[in-house]
Amino acid sequence: MQIKLAKLNDLQQVLNVLNKVTLDLQKKGINQWDYPWDTNKIISEIQNNYLYVLLIDSEILGTFGIKEIDCLSELAIDSKSKYLYQIAILPEYQGNKFGSVITEFACSFAKKVNKTIYLDCWAGNEKLKHFYLNNGFEYQGDFPEKDYFISIFKSN
């Protein structure tokens, strides 16, 4: 297993992961992400070195982003923190501890640069909220986002 920064030649595999995961979430009534994903947005995230991929051999089975916090800055969040976002693992690989690998990587990354890392999820996703709590994140509260609420978590 390997985690690395995504490159432009990973674009189609990343979009495939994000679109498959989004459809799977929507089937479960979780509508946090829009389908299909905006290719230009993903290209921008790759070019800005925000997007990572999780690989086994050469197959991308997960993706996530880490960037400076700015979009959540109006909330009670430490300034100059990191934001772990858009964690997506192909449905057929979920439940195999890959999410824990990603959160451990992100927490280690943040510690190396002496930052706190935050993440969020749709407030109604109890399974994901428990996952974050079980992986060492601290619940910060629920906050309005468009037409729903998000739960914010912070690394210890």
Side-chain angles (χ1 to χ4, degrees), residues 54-71:
L54 175 71
L55 302 106
I56 291 186
D57 299 322
S58 59
E59 181 185 2
I60 294 174
L61 50 112
T63 183
F64 61 96
I66 300 175
K67 63 183 173 183
E68 292 295 321
I69 223 147
D70 58 355
C71 61

Side-chain angles (χ1 to χ4, degrees), residues 4-89:
K4 68 175 184 99
L5 274 170
K7 301 294 180 202
L8 284 176
N9 63 351
D10 297 323
L11 177 64
Q12 287 310 312
Q13 284 188 74
V14 168
L15 286 168
N16 179 56
V17 169
L18 289 169
N19 284 325
K20 278 188 174 181
V21 170
T22 300
L23 289 175
D24 188 60
L25 289 171
Q26 289 177 354
K27 283 182 198 169
K28 297 173 183 173
I30 300 169
N31 297 308
Q32 186 169 343
W33 293 342
D34 293 327
Y35 176 88
W37 279 79
D38 179 351
T39 301
N40 291 326
K41 178 185 177 200
I42 302 307
I43 289 171
S44 174
E45 291 187 358
I46 291 171
Q47 291 173 331
N48 285 309
N49 291 322
Y50 298 153
L51 208 62
Y52 290 81
V53 290
L54 175 71
L55 302 106
I56 291 186
D57 299 322
S58 59
E59 181 185 2
I60 294 174
L61 50 112
T63 183
F64 61 96
I66 300 175
K67 63 183 173 183
E68 292 295 321
I69 223 147
D70 58 355
C71 61
L72 300 177
S73 58
E74 70 275 5
L75 303 176
I77 289 179
D78 302 335
S79 62
K80 298 184 181 176
S81 300
K82 295 288 186 181
Y83 178 47
L84 171 60
Y85 65 103
Q86 208 171 282
I87 301 171
I89 299 166

